[in-house]
Amino acid sequence: MKNRDIILCMNIHQLKGKTVGAAVSGGLDSCTITKWLVDKGVNVVCFTADLGQPDERNVDEIRERMLACGAQEAVMVDAKDALAEEGIRLIQCQAMYEGGYWNTTGIARHVTVKALLPEMESRGISILTHGATGRGNDQVRFQLATNMLNPQFSVYAPWRDSEFLKQFGGRKEMIDFCQEHNLPITATHEKPYSTDANLLGLTHEAGRLESLKTPAGFITPGMGVHPKDAPDDIEHFTVTFARGIPVEVNGSPCTPLMSLIEANRIGGRNGVGIGIHTVENRFVGIKSRGVYESPGMELLGKCYEYLLQLILDRRARKLFDSISSDVAEQIYQGYWFDSATQSMLSSVEPLTHLASGTITVALYKGNVAFHAADGVPHSLYSEETASMEDIGDFDHADSEGFLAVLGVGARAAAVAGQTQE
């Protein structure tokens, strides 16, 4: 590949006079990097994926911010439906990373790159830049997703450029820079942590949250309330799945996006999935502390798990759990588009196609408790065969031969001295 060295080693001096496509969210990093690149003689066209960010009252304001920072053009791309659909696929795989993190930021990076690259290509841009730091996972996700979807694209990361690092050691210097140039940022020196948001969830990290003496309850929720502040009354939530996809919520037909919006609203007000603390293993090899919000994913995810309990036998369950863990790791590490992930997703499809039925749960101060299941055509559960009463076609006496066969191996292990008291 002719541009291999540029992809791996690009710096600001190589960019002067060229046009780059900046994947931006409109926050502190976006504003700082855009202005810095423009000052260095780089032509910057900003691209933002509308991911239903709950922390943005009006996503069109992002465009205004980036133009104020010197961007030649600021493009908004609607990716809400795409993100919702991938969010449902995460639920279908129960793809939670360490500590119950629903990979809400991880999957959003893949969706963002897929949405923005065609827009850059249509404008003749072949260099993508982003504001992910050199210590985190997002730099890996942006890089790998871009390389996999279009290997001819170069990726420039200011946070890995020594020239940029000389000027910006961290948030303090960036805030000072933006204030000096009167750039429209909302970050301040007093803000105690940073937040990354999309319709699937919020990621809170850095600042005060880096200290393990700061409790998860320190955050101000953006998608609901802390469990302790939720109503004192139980609220029921009902979702109908058809072949793994939510098609009805509380009796109303819905699309994947609508199901997540409604689950976010109802789950959030009941404290579901709010303030999830994790200290996780980043792909770059360091530990990081995050506090997550994902009310809709947690609520729909719990309902889907209750459905899986009805349809998976023990062999399918073992396979599913293994794939679930692997898919979660693949997303977290930036490999959503590779053949291994796609193969795993395909292997889950036969189980997903069995996941039809209606699940009702009871919500109370952050808890999601099973309430009822109905209309599950592929359920393996039978009240008759599972009953301890004198009903059904399972005869207790039939277990005599079953246990006799199992006992052969148990006795052999004892005789051979392979058991311990």
Side-chain angles (χ1 to χ4, degrees), residues 16 44 48 50 78 82 93-94 99 102 107 173 224 229 243 258 303 314 345 356 376 387 405:
K16 189 171 182 179
V44 181
T48 301
D50 180 358
D78 190 341
C93 294
Q94 296 287 288
W102 272 105
I107 196 63
E173 291 80 9
D229 299 321
R243 294 167 68 87
M258 292 165 61
C303 291
R314 62 176 178 271
L345 293 174
S356 296
V376 187
S387 177
V405 172

Side-chain angles (χ1 to χ4, degrees), residues 140-194:
V140 181
R141 296 161 183 158
F142 277 116
Q143 184 87 31
L144 297 185
T146 301
N147 294 161
M148 288 182 187
L149 293 177
N150 189 334
Q152 301 305 317
F153 249 74
S154 299
V155 179
Y156 170 68
W159 278 107
R160 300 198 299 268
D161 189 330
S162 58
E163 194 76 17
F164 184 84
L165 294 172
K166 286 179 185 177
Q167 186 170 349
F168 303 101
R171 287 174 59 82
K172 179 184 181 302
E173 291 80 9
M174 293 168 64
I175 292 172
D176 289 342
F177 175 83
C178 290
Q179 290 178 343
E180 178 185 340
H181 290 85
N182 295 315
L183 302 183
I185 62 170
T186 58
T188 65
H189 290 300
E190 293 73 30
K191 191 173 182 180
Y193 55 84
S194 65

Side-chain angles (χ1 to χ4, degrees), residues 280-294:
E280 66 205 33
N281 290 294
R282 282 183 176 172
F283 192 25
V284 294
I286 62 175
K287 285 278 192 182
S288 68
R289 193 273 180 104
V291 177
Y292 299 109
E293 299 180 52
S294 49

